[in-house]
Amino acid sequence: MKLVELIAPCHFGLETVLKKEILDLGYEISQVEDGKVTFLGDMEAICCGNIFLRTAERILLKVGKIHAESFDELFEKTRALPWENYIPRDGKFWVAKATSIKSKLFSPSDIQSIMKKAMVERLKSYYGISWFEETGASYPVRVFLMKDEVTIGIDTSGISLHKRGYRLLTAKAPITETLAAALILLTPWKKERILVDPFCGSGTFPIEAAMMAANIAPGMNRSFLAESWTNLIPRKCWYDAVDEANDLVEDQIETDIQGYDIDGEIVKAARENARKAGVDHLIHFQRRPVSELNHPKKYGFVITNPPYGERIEEKSALPALYQEIGEAFGRLDCWSEYVITSYDQAERYIGRKADKNRKIYNGMLKTYYYQFLGPKPPGRKGQ
């Protein structure tokens, strides 16, 4: 199959994690930018990227990159792109999203409107028709403008890839599945090691860790928009990718993954989410406050997303809560702890400066990933 460029957007600050995932799948990286990684692959890579990548938000089929400083220039250069290579006569197409940073063209709605008109003009000329019924498959276009450089891609995923299909019930401030997976991958945790989340909420960290441990591909139980693109991707490609994902699953393993929360109803929701993900037998959920966090074994991992105090009335409770977190960490001998929070006094009240600190944007919210590193365990097989 002919090679194409595919764009995988991700959380800002986590591009290196996604890059490694793509390389591990065997694809060549062509560019790494803020919030996205571009790679080369055939049409089969669209299937594999959607099904196997844990940290990508979606997979876009790159149509082109142009320079535009005026709407006339944007129109002409968009019209010059080979849209007929992607969109069939009956295809439904529109510019679903446009983002602009440090560019002369900054109105998303105007960018969307101009580009749609340009696409229509190109396809009218190619197909020799003046009206498009748009009764076929959907081809939503996403556009990124950065310093007047316009990157254009067609969305193959549809619903964002963070929606694995298992999380029907959520806590107040859930962390997305893709972000949770990336934060786990930033640690040296392996399936043979203990992992505890004392603020598990709807269970995202434990569930993503259990899916990694059992080698369950994140997208194997959901559908993707490009499955209907029979003009570009043979159905067999999708079947083959799902078959490969099924063959790789190893869910009859032993793990020590635990999730605690002070809210009993949320713990029930986490159990149900884990059941939907097929990993409930790999995780122990329990109602327990962080003040009771303890474990007899050494060399475990805490990976957690404690309350940030985003609402004003909650902020006053944060110093005491983070002191409790620090005291709990002190009881865990030789453990490593990883905490994502937007609370800028976290280290002060935990009572220890983090060994590493990584700035990560969780949506529009600036957060910090504090990494308190414990010693490595003595060398053992499988460790």
Side-chain angles (χ1 to χ4, degrees):
M1 284 188 186
K2 178 183 148 191
L3 288 184
V4 293
E5 276 196 295
L6 300 171
I7 304 165
C10 64
H11 282 273
F12 282 93
L14 295 172
E15 299 83 4
T16 54
V17 182
L18 176 54
K19 177 184 173 182
K20 183 179 185 306
E21 271 204 285
I22 293 168
L23 290 171
D24 286 348
L25 279 182
Y27 298 114
E28 181 186 339
I29 305 291
S30 56
Q31 191 172 17
V32 178
E33 304 166 86
D34 285 347
K36 58 181 177 288
V37 179
T38 304
F39 63 103
L40 298 172
D42 54 18
M43 287 298 168
E44 209 169 83
I46 292 174
C47 311
C48 290
N50 276 298
I51 290 169
F52 288 102
L53 291 176
R54 298 184 188 278
T55 62
E57 295 299 312
R58 57 185 69 246
I59 305 294
L60 308 176
L61 173 56
K62 185 175 176 180
V63 177
K65 190 169 188 173
I66 60 178
H67 182 90
E69 298 183 28
S70 69
F71 284 118
D72 284 343
E73 191 176 13
L74 180 66
F75 179 88
E76 293 301 333
K77 288 184 177 178
T78 301
R79 186 170 64 173
L81 294 170
W83 293 102
E84 64 278 3
N85 290 351
Y86 310 100
I87 301 172
R89 178 189 289 259
D90 66 346
K92 181 181 180 183
F93 58 97
W94 71 102
V95 182
K97 187 170 184 182
T99 57
S100 178
I101 300 170
K102 298 178 182 175
S103 298
K104 293 181 179 66
L105 304 178
F106 55 83
S107 165
S109 59
D110 289 337
I111 292 164
Q112 289 168 287
S113 175
I114 293 288
M115 291 186 73
K116 166 78 180 200
K117 286 176 186 171
M119 292 165 68
V120 167
E121 289 304 309
R122 170 79 183 204
L123 293 173
K124 270 167 62 175
S125 173
Y126 181 81
Y127 289 119
I129 55 176
S130 58
W131 177 258
F132 292 90
E133 294 291 339
E134 297 193 289
T135 54
S138 294
Y139 299 81
V141 174
R142 288 183 168 244
V143 185
F144 309 91
L145 282 78
M146 169 63 82
K147 296 180 181 175
D148 303 320
E149 295 296 319
V150 188
T151 304
I152 303 159
I154 306 175
D155 180 19
T156 74
S157 304
I159 296 169
S160 172
L161 294 182
H162 81 267
K163 296 198 172 177
R164 319 286 205 214
Y166 68 73
R167 198 171 74 177
L168 302 182
L169 302 159
T170 63
K172 259 190 316 188
I175 195 163
T176 67
E177 295 87 326
T178 45
L179 179 54
L183 296 177
I184 295 168
L185 289 171
L186 276 173
T187 78
W189 176 79
K190 296 287 184 290
K191 63 185 176 184
E192 299 85 8
R193 306 281 291 278
I194 308 157
L195 188 150
V196 177
D197 179 0
F199 298 94
C200 73
S202 51
T204 311
F205 274 128
I207 292 170
E208 289 295 317
M211 288 175 71
M212 289 178 196
N215 216 9
I216 297 173
M220 65 183 287
N221 293 315
R222 54 158 285 176
S223 59
F224 307 97
L225 189 139
E227 288 179 53
S228 60
W229 294 3
T230 49
N231 62 314
L232 294 176
I233 309 171
R235 291 291 303 172
K236 186 176 185 300
C237 288
W238 292 102
Y239 296 142
D240 288 348
V242 171
D243 285 346
E244 182 186 350
N246 276 310
D247 289 344
L248 291 170
V249 173
E250 299 178 80
D251 65 349
Q252 297 306 309
I253 56 171
E254 287 191 16
T255 58
D256 191 346
I257 299 172
Q258 303 176 29
Y260 306 139
D261 202 279
I262 198 169
D263 186 331
E265 289 304 307
I266 284 295
V267 170
K268 282 184 192 172
R271 284 197 191 106
E272 179 61 16
N273 290 340
R275 188 189 66 77
K276 290 187 187 318
V279 294
D280 51 319
H281 62 296
L282 300 176
I283 307 169
H284 171 68
F285 286 108
Q286 186 180 343
R287 181 174 179 241
R288 184 191 287 194
V290 70
S291 60
E292 294 177 16
L293 176 60
N294 213 332
H295 202 289
K297 293 182 183 174
K298 293 185 173 187
Y299 307 111
F301 287 76
V302 169
I303 306 177
T304 195
N305 172 41
Y308 302 168
E310 288 309 299
R311 292 190 299 199
I312 292 171
E313 63 270 25
E314 294 171 344
K315 283 199 182 296
S316 60
L318 290 183
L321 176 65
Y322 279 77
Q323 277 181 327
E324 283 189 341
I325 293 171
E327 288 163 7
F329 288 174
R331 293 191 295 271
L332 296 170
D333 190 23
C334 300
W335 280 49
S336 295
E337 293 95 13
Y338 297 81
V339 178
I340 182 169
T341 179
S342 66
Y343 184 44
D344 58 5
Q345 298 295 309
E347 289 172 301
R348 176 185 170 190
Y349 289 106
I350 287 173
R352 178 180 163 192
K353 186 166 176 57
D355 298 288
K356 292 183 181 178
N357 181 10
R358 194 180 188 111
K359 184 163 63 176
I360 293 166
Y361 279 88
N362 184 3
M364 297 305 292
L365 183 66
K366 183 168 72 173
T367 63
Y368 298 93
Y369 193 38
Y370 295 107
Q371 301 166 60
F372 304 93
L373 308 179
K376 290 181 181 178
R380 287 181 295 181
K381 283 185 180 178
Q383 291 281 355

